[in-house]
Amino acid sequence: MFARILEVEVKMQKKEEFAKIMKNEILPILRKQNGFREILPFFPEKLREDKVVTISLWTTKQDAERYEREFYPKVFDILKPFLNTPVVVNNYNLETTLCEHLVEMLAA
């Protein structure tokens, strides 16, 4: 399994709208992608913080790379009005032998 981890600063006054856009516009795009497994959005516990982290899980690195090439530019354009800073993207291999329950859950 492969993970894309994105970090971004969202405009404080637009956090709620950002979450709605993620759910109503971005998630449907992701669900149509080959190899997409799940997205895990993390919003700060303290309302004054503006850093949001999202982890998208993919079956293979190639699936994530295809999404990044073909669809991420459109997703970025949708999210751009909500952002204070550029998006920082990091890619990781997920060691699934250490998280068997997560793998089972995603397979269900």
Side-chain angles (χ1 to χ4, degrees), residues 1-3 10 15-16 19 27 34-38 40 43 52 59 66-67 70 83 87 89 91-92 105-107:
M1 198 170 298
F2 191 76
V10 176
K15 277 188 182 180
E16 284 185 38
L27 189 55
N34 288 334
F36 173 72
R37 304 303 295 157
E38 188 60 79
L40 306 168
F43 287 83
V52 173
T59 303
R66 184 180 333 95
Y67 161 75
E70 298 175 13
L83 308 180
V87 178
V89 180
N91 298 312
Y92 295 87
M105 179 187 73
L106 292 173

Side-chain angles (χ1 to χ4, degrees):
M1 198 170 298
F2 191 76
R4 294 181 76 236
I5 300 178
L6 284 70
E7 296 180 22
V8 65
E9 289 184 17
V10 176
K11 295 176 182 175
M12 294 286 281
Q13 68 277 18
K14 294 197 173 201
K15 277 188 182 180
E16 284 185 38
E17 191 176 354
F18 177 84
K20 287 178 187 174
I21 293 293
M22 287 289 293
K23 181 179 179 180
N24 297 326
E25 293 186 40
I26 306 307
L27 189 55
I29 293 170
L30 288 169
R31 286 187 174 148
K32 292 178 184 175
Q33 306 309 307
N34 288 334
F36 173 72
R37 304 303 295 157
E38 188 60 79
I39 188 165
L40 306 168
F42 295 88
F43 287 83
E45 185 176 4
K46 296 179 182 177
L47 295 177
R48 293 182 184 170
E49 295 179 19
D50 55 2
K51 186 176 183 179
V52 173
V53 175
T54 63
I55 301 172
S56 60
L57 300 176
W58 300 84
T59 303
T60 67
K61 179 179 180 180
Q62 292 76 19
D63 293 329
E65 288 173 339
R66 184 180 333 95
Y67 161 75
E68 187 165 354
R69 244 187 350 267
E70 298 175 13
F71 293 94
Y72 179 70
K74 178 183 177 183
V75 167
F76 178 75
D77 286 343
I78 293 169
L79 296 177
K80 194 174 184 177
F82 302 94
L83 308 180
N84 280 329
T85 61
V87 178
V88 176
V89 180
N90 291 295
N91 298 312
Y92 295 87
N93 288 308
L94 178 61
E95 183 51 60
T96 55
T97 61
L98 298 174
C99 50
E100 294 173 14
H101 297 291
L102 174 66
V103 174
E104 290 170 7
M105 179 187 73
L106 292 173

